[in-house]
Amino acid sequence: MCTATYLPIGPKGFILTHSRDEKAIRPAAIPADEVLIGGHVVTFPKDPQGMGTWIASSNELTICLLNGAFIPHLPQPPYKHSRGLVVLDVFDYPSVNAFILHYPFEGLEPFTLLLFEGGRVTELRWTGKRVYVQEKDPGQPHIWSSVTLYTTEIIQQRERWFKQWQQQIRYWSVQGIREFHKTAGADDPQNALRMNRQNHYFTVSLTSVLHNGTVSAMRYEDLIHPKITSQFSLNSYDAASINLA
């Protein structure tokens, strides 16, 4: 899995949107709900197979997962546990720095973790042997695509789609970026943000987190089962935007 975009809003606010790509045989996810973890009220959709998640958010911290690190890898199970559990484990640590320094990564399949805390955007990649950490500019938009599903050329194409979308709009909004995730690259269904590879792999859900600098809100939408949608939101969720004029 998958694709994630980040749009900054204000000094510490952002919109994070995640398209989840999965095998058709994977069980449908459990819609987003609130759970207490490490003293935080955490909102996340749950994978009933691994019991983890690909995106989770509290008022203080938002975490997003993509499979793979820098290059495609050959899975070598058995692994200690699902990568989706790592997302939830972060909330048991007092800070992102503490998690990076002390988490036992050994025995886990490679992954990329995006961590958003206190105006910071941290990218962590676990190769299966080593952790690489990079701080990203929180004032700039970003897009990430899973290296397990997309080649370097396709990842670069998706970055161009993202830049073109930014040039075509006057403001950023939850509604606007969700539309981008649903339509970008539609003439290339194999690699579109809402992808479909002969109904074997396809984009199964779309999740957005809006953080206004103090409080987070989440909208989860199951794209295969349209009636399965959950929203934990501020009153102004869908209206949230920043004027780019």
Side-chain angles (χ1 to χ4, degrees), residues 103-120:
Y103 191 76
F105 293 94
E106 294 77 12
L108 295 174
E109 191 170 0
F111 61 83
T112 298
L113 208 60
L114 310 175
L115 307 103
F116 306 86
E117 178 190 49
R120 290 175 58 194

Side-chain angles (χ1 to χ4, degrees), residues 28-48:
I30 300 169
D33 202 355
E34 296 178 330
V35 177
L36 188 65
I37 305 175
H40 303 273
V41 177
V42 183
T43 306
F44 62 95
K46 182 183 287 187
D47 171 24

Side-chain angles (χ1 to χ4, degrees), residues 6 8-14 40 56-63 90-91 93-97 114-122 135-139 209 211-216:
Y6 165 90
I9 294 182
K12 292 186 178 181
F14 61 83
H40 303 273
S57 185
S58 71
N59 287 340
E60 300 82 18
L61 180 63
T62 298
I63 311 294
V90 180
F91 293 92
Y93 288 79
S95 67
V96 166
N97 286 343
L114 310 175
L115 307 103
F116 306 86
E117 178 190 49
R120 290 175 58 194
V121 178
T122 305
E135 296 293 329
K136 310 292 284 189
D137 185 347
V209 172
H211 186 71
N212 68 3
T214 306
V215 179
S216 288

Side-chain angles (χ1 to χ4, degrees), residues 6-15 118-121 137-141 171-173 210-214 240-244:
Y6 165 90
L7 297 171
I9 294 182
K12 292 186 178 181
F14 61 83
I15 302 170
R120 290 175 58 194
V121 178
D137 185 347
Q140 295 297 318
Y171 62 89
W172 295 336
S173 68
L210 168 68
H211 186 71
N212 68 3
T214 306
S241 64
I242 181 168
N243 196 333
L244 301 181

